[in-house]
Amino acid sequence: MIKKEKVPKVPKMVAVKKLPKLLRKTYTHKAFQKKIIKHLYIEHDKQLITSVFKEDVAKPGCISIPTDTTLPLQDFKRLKLIAKQIKKQKGTFKLVPFAAVVIFLAAVGIGVTLFKNTIVKMAMTQGMQSVFGAKTDIASVDLQIFNASLQVKGIQQADKSSPMKNLFQIDTVAVDFNLTELLRGKFDAQNIAVTGVAIGTDRTTSGELPQKAAQQSDKQEEKQQSAFATMVSGKASTSLGNAKDSLINTFSQYNPQNVINNLSTNLSSPKLSQEIQSEVEALIPKWQDKPDEIKHSVEAVQSSVQTLIDKDWSSISNVAELTQALNDIQKAIDQVQTVKNQTNTVLSELKSDTAKVKKYSAEINAAITKDQALVQKELNRIKSFSIDGTKTLISDALNSAAYSALGKYYPYVQKGIGYAKRMKSSSNPNKESAKVKAKKTRRAAGRYVYYKKNTVPRFLIENLAASGTSFEATVKEVSNDQDIRGLPASAQGTLTLAGYTHSIATTVDTRTNTQSPLIAADYSTKNFPIAASLPILAVNSSSAITAAITADENGGFTADISCLMKDLAMTSDSFEPEFAYNIYKKALASVKAMNVQVQAAYSEDNGLSLTVNSDADKQLADALKRLMNEELDSIKADAQKEIAVLLKEQTKGATDRISEYLDIDSLLNGEGSIVDNLTKQLNSKQDEIRKEIQQKTTNAVKEQITEKATEFFKGLF
């Protein structure tokens, strides 16, 4: 098989007449250089143009492209493009548009000169009011564009929560900016000086915004409770519950009610009490009406014989009357005897039930005595106080307080993270993806043009220094793109409020390839008052605090906090049993200082972890053990007394029923005694009347004998 030779492809040719008019003209050598060659910057383009222009035969001293020339299609396209590019470079002066531009620029210049300060003041006022939600007052603004400076005086920012107070006020803010960068659309504040800073000053007028503006500001601040806040609230409740349980369990073995509950299966008196109560309650209805019935009969007979008992029969001289009285007394005795027989019948029937009830009373008293002995034996087993339940009591309580503090302050952490994230996102996010792949085109060799490296981002504050009453701060490298300068933003300062100095150093690192956290902050203060109040622990102290905090852009954070508490005062709400509260209160009062270490971390993947350690746990446990062992005997004695009271309460139902029955027995026997007494009184009166009759009869006989004897002797003489 014979291989065919490849025939070279003949390029397509194009006539010169199709070139743009610019290249079909005839030029002098000078005009050619000025109008064509001067506008070419690529050597290959110059060579192509020079090669097609020839000396014009018709016009000596001039050059042009011969009209009969044909060009390869590729060269034709290149020449056409060169002509187009040259034409774009050409400009013509037009008076009217030029005058309009001049007038516009003059108007803009005059407008900026007249209104620049007002515009800047309005922008600052609206921006600050939007951020702080309260009125912003600015005394004056002076923007010097050509001097590249801005000066703001008399800034007063009202406090939203207290409209008659300023959140802060500033005497002067002086800004030196780079005018060259400003003309390039960048703000580069090389130095900012803030002086006369004061916090919490009084206002002469209210700083509250009009209702509509305030509502708009409020809407920006409204937040729904986050899952983090819900989780923290639950953990705070759990920690507080653990601390309460530890405290309760510590003293549970000395709680009289717990002792009884633990021995409930071995105590006999409560169960026996229920059985006896049922038995006695069944007897009471049988006898509860009898006392009234007997009493009615006794009172009736007592009323009928009382006159006979009360009368003085010695004053009656008539024997016949006395004899009749004797008969009345006998009838009364018979009546009383009838009632007595009735009463004795009831008492005879009552006697067996009463014996049964008294037996019940003896049994329940014996059971109570036995149970008290059992309880005493149980209490005697307690030889010393166990500190197991108090080893982490204070740490658990402080854990709850720490969770509550996290829930309170985490929104501010989120807000700070949000500011840092917006700063990072503004620094050309996804830079790799933002790179547009250059269109691959064949380009002739040309000139390399090198530009100066960009070292200034669109927004930059190189240095800021602020000072005022008890306030100093420096801020560096605040920018919208930290990758350009390769430096993170940093700030450090001190603030003295109410005599307490707070120091903080913060770094915000939004660089793309950094290994540092988004936010890192170190905080310290001394002699700062701390107060926390929980049902089982209230703390007041003067504290030295140091904290190291980091945060990432996903909302995670770490915190390492050390707190040395001096002049410590710890108290607690009262609880039962009272002796336990008194000892716990004394133990808390014995702890005068403690060191608290808090480690906290949160991330979306691992959730929240919080650890609180304190040397006060051991101090409290040792104090509780010492106090409890010192008072152990008296505590057990008091517990025994309280247990006796509790046992009495548990058997109260039976003892009350027994007492109720014995009251009925006492009433019936009382009525029997009354009847017996009436019988004795009537028998006594009966004997008395008989003696009176006998005496009166004897006296009458004696009188008759004396009278007869007198008459007899009178007859003798």
Side-chain angles (χ1 to χ4, degrees):
M1 183 176 179
I2 300 174
K3 186 177 180 181
K4 293 183 179 180
E5 292 184 2
K6 188 174 182 179
V7 179
K9 186 176 181 180
V10 178
K12 183 178 180 180
M13 305 300 288
V14 181
V16 171
K17 63 180 181 181
K18 293 185 178 181
L19 285 172
K21 186 177 180 182
L22 179 68
L23 299 180
R24 289 188 279 112
K25 290 182 179 180
T26 301
Y27 297 97
T28 64
H29 288 281
K30 184 176 181 180
F32 179 70
Q33 291 292 327
K34 181 179 180 181
K35 294 184 178 181
I36 303 296
I37 300 300
K38 183 180 179 180
H39 296 285
L40 300 178
Y41 303 98
I42 298 175
E43 190 63 31
H44 183 271
D45 293 345
K46 290 181 180 180
Q47 293 175 2
L48 179 62
I49 288 290
T50 305
S51 66
V52 296
F53 273 86
K54 307 293 182 181
E55 290 291 334
D56 194 328
V57 178
K59 294 182 179 180
C62 295
I63 58 176
S64 65
I65 300 176
T67 56
D68 59 349
T69 303
T70 58
L71 301 170
L73 179 62
Q74 185 176 351
D75 290 344
F76 175 82
K77 289 181 177 180
R78 184 63 188 165
L79 289 171
K80 189 175 181 181
L81 179 60
I82 290 173
K84 185 177 180 181
Q85 291 174 345
I86 292 174
K87 189 174 182 181
K88 283 184 178 180
Q89 296 180 44
K90 290 185 177 181
T92 57
F93 178 79
K94 298 181 179 179
L95 181 61
V96 175
F98 176 75
V101 170
V102 171
I103 294 171
F104 174 75
L105 293 176
V108 170
I110 295 171
V112 169
T113 302
L114 294 177
F115 301 108
K116 66 182 188 305
N117 295 336
T118 302
I119 293 171
V120 172
K121 182 177 180 180
M122 289 178 61
M124 289 183 64
T125 301
Q126 292 178 359
M128 292 178 68
Q129 287 183 165
S130 175
V131 171
F132 295 103
K135 189 176 181 182
T136 302
D137 296 318
I138 298 176
S140 65
V141 174
D142 183 13
L143 174 62
Q144 299 292 331
I145 296 177
F146 296 107
N147 290 333
S149 67
L150 170 66
Q151 190 174 72
V152 183
K153 292 185 176 182
I155 300 175
Q156 293 188 32
Q157 177 56 60
D159 188 346
K160 178 182 177 181
S161 59
S162 181
M164 294 306 294
K165 288 278 188 181
N166 283 321
L167 192 62
F168 61 84
Q169 72 176 47
I170 300 172
D171 289 345
T172 305
V173 177
V175 182
D176 293 331
F177 56 87
N178 189 319
L179 182 59
T180 302
E181 298 297 337
L182 185 65
L183 294 175
R184 293 173 178 166
K186 300 178 181 180
F187 178 76
D188 178 9
Q190 295 169 319
N191 289 290
I192 299 179
V194 181
T195 58
V197 179
I199 296 173
T201 57
D202 295 326
R203 292 179 60 88
T204 56
T205 60
S206 174
E208 186 176 3
L209 289 175
Q211 189 68 23
K212 184 176 181 181
Q215 288 177 352
Q216 187 175 7
S217 177
D218 288 342
K219 287 180 180 179
Q220 295 176 354
E221 294 182 0
E222 286 178 355
K223 292 183 177 180
Q224 295 184 354
Q225 188 178 22
S226 65
F228 178 86
T230 303
M231 175 180 58
V232 165
S233 177
K235 287 183 176 290
S237 299
T238 301
S239 294
L240 181 58
N242 291 338
K244 286 182 178 179
D245 292 342
S246 297
L247 184 60
I248 291 171
N249 293 335
T250 298
F251 297 103
S252 61
Q253 60 181 325
Y254 308 99
N255 190 324
Q257 186 61 60
N258 288 343
V259 173
I260 289 180
N261 292 340
N262 294 335
L263 297 174
S264 59
T265 56
N266 297 324
L267 296 177
S268 58
S269 58
K271 183 178 179 181
L272 181 61
S273 172
Q274 293 178 357
E275 294 173 355
I276 290 176
Q277 181 177 346
S278 300
E279 292 287 340
V280 178
E281 283 178 346
L283 293 174
I284 290 174
K286 177 181 176 181
W287 299 106
Q288 62 185 4
D289 294 333
K290 294 298 182 183
D292 289 338
E293 294 176 4
I294 299 299
K295 184 179 181 180
H296 179 72
S297 299
V298 171
E299 287 178 348
V301 73
Q302 186 179 22
S303 177
S304 66
V305 302
Q306 195 63 46
T307 304
L308 295 174
I309 294 172
D310 294 339
K311 191 168 184 179
D312 183 11
W313 296 105
S314 61
S315 63
I316 305 299
S317 58
N318 190 335
V319 175
E321 187 176 347
L322 289 173
T323 302
Q324 181 59 43
L326 191 60
N327 294 331
D328 292 340
I329 289 291
Q330 185 60 49
K331 290 178 181 179
I333 289 172
D334 293 341
Q335 290 177 359
V336 171
Q337 187 62 42
T338 301
V339 174
K340 184 176 181 179
N341 292 339
Q342 179 185 357
T343 302
N344 287 340
T345 301
V346 173
L347 291 176
S348 177
E349 295 175 359
L350 179 69
K351 188 175 182 180
S352 61
D353 288 344
T354 300
K356 187 187 298 184
V357 171
K358 288 182 177 179
K359 179 184 176 184
Y360 290 155
S361 179
E363 289 176 355
I364 200 166
N365 287 333
I368 291 173
T369 302
K370 179 183 176 183
D371 288 346
Q372 287 177 339
L374 181 63
V375 168
Q376 184 63 53
K377 183 179 179 181
E378 185 70 18
L379 290 175
N380 289 338
R381 292 180 181 176
I382 303 173
K383 303 298 182 182
S384 62
F385 178 68
S386 173
I387 64 173
D388 290 343
T390 61
K391 287 183 177 178
T392 61
L393 182 60
I394 290 181
S395 292
D396 286 342
L398 294 178
N399 226 25
S400 177
Y403 275 122
S404 299
L406 273 179
K408 180 179 180 181
Y409 293 109
Y410 184 68
Y412 298 102
V413 176
Q414 285 182 311
K415 187 176 290 187
I417 293 173
Y419 290 146
K421 285 173 67 177
R422 285 193 289 274
M423 183 186 298
K424 186 171 185 177
S425 64
S426 67
S427 61
N428 297 328
N430 302 322
K431 292 181 179 179
E432 294 298 326
S433 62
K435 292 180 180 180
V436 180
K437 292 183 179 180
K439 186 176 180 180
K440 292 184 178 180
T441 56
R442 186 180 66 83
R443 181 175 179 84
R447 180 190 309 171
Y448 287 100
V449 179
Y450 296 93
Y451 295 92
K452 184 179 179 181
K453 183 180 179 181
N454 179 22
T455 60
V456 179
R458 292 194 308 275
F459 177 85
L460 173 64
I461 297 176
E462 296 183 31
N463 294 287
L464 184 152
S467 64
T469 306
S470 303
F471 173 79
E472 289 184 357
T474 58
V475 180
K476 295 183 177 181
E477 297 298 327
V478 178
S479 71
N480 70 305
D481 190 348
Q482 293 181 357
D483 287 335
I484 293 178
R485 292 173 67 88
L487 297 171
S490 62
Q492 58 183 8
T494 60
L495 172 65
T496 302
L497 289 175
Y500 305 106
T501 301
H502 307 267
S503 301
I504 188 168
T506 305
T507 301
V508 179
D509 194 343
T510 64
R511 293 175 295 176
T512 303
N513 298 320
T514 183
Q515 300 299 316
S516 302
L518 179 65
I519 300 174
D522 293 320
Y523 167 83
S524 64
T525 187
K526 294 181 179 179
N527 302 320
F528 187 72
I530 288 182
S533 182
L534 297 169
I536 62 167
L537 183 66
V539 178
N540 284 279
S541 74
S542 176
S543 305
I545 304 171
T546 59
I549 301 169
T550 66
D552 60 42
E553 58 186 292
N554 295 321
F557 68 88
T558 65
D560 192 349
I561 303 169
S562 176
C563 182
L564 178 59
M565 297 183 175
K566 300 179 296 183
D567 302 325
L568 183 63
M570 294 194 294
T571 58
S572 168
D573 292 348
S574 61
F575 58 87
E576 294 295 333
E578 186 178 359
F579 81 87
Y581 165 67
N582 290 331
I583 289 177
Y584 179 59
K585 181 172 65 174
K586 290 178 183 178
L588 287 176
S590 69
V591 181
K592 300 298 183 183
M594 69 175 172
N595 190 1
V596 180
Q597 302 291 329
V598 181
Q599 287 83 35
Y602 172 73
S603 67
E604 292 182 356
D605 295 333
N606 300 322
L608 176 65
S609 65
L610 176 67
T611 304
V612 178
N613 294 308
S614 170
D615 60 353
D617 286 324
K618 186 175 185 306
Q619 296 182 60
L620 179 66
D622 291 344
L624 282 173
K625 185 174 183 179
R626 174 178 53 81
L627 291 169
M628 285 292 291
N629 289 336
E630 288 175 357
E631 302 185 26
L632 192 58
D633 290 338
S634 62
I635 289 171
K636 290 194 290 185
D638 291 340
Q640 178 67 33
K641 291 178 182 178
E642 290 190 39
I643 288 170
V645 173
L646 290 173
L647 287 174
K648 186 176 180 181
E649 290 178 355
Q650 292 189 359
T651 58
K652 190 174 184 298
T655 55
D656 285 351
R657 299 291 81 76
I658 290 174
S659 178
E660 184 180 352
Y661 177 88
L662 293 178
D663 286 342
I664 296 173
D665 180 85
S666 177
L667 289 173
L668 289 172
N669 281 287
E671 295 301 328
S673 297
I674 293 174
V675 172
D676 289 341
N677 189 44
L678 285 176
T679 301
K680 289 178 182 179
Q681 288 178 324
L682 288 172
N683 287 334
S684 176
K685 286 296 180 180
Q686 190 179 46
D687 292 341
E688 181 185 342
I689 292 172
R690 283 175 179 164
K691 288 179 181 179
E692 287 294 333
I693 291 174
Q694 185 178 3
Q695 186 178 358
K696 294 291 192 281
T697 303
T698 302
N699 290 339
V701 172
K702 286 181 179 181
E703 287 178 1
Q704 288 180 2
I705 293 172
T706 302
E707 184 179 348
K708 293 296 183 179
T710 301
E711 289 179 357
F712 174 73
F713 284 113
K714 283 183 178 181
L716 292 177
F717 298 102

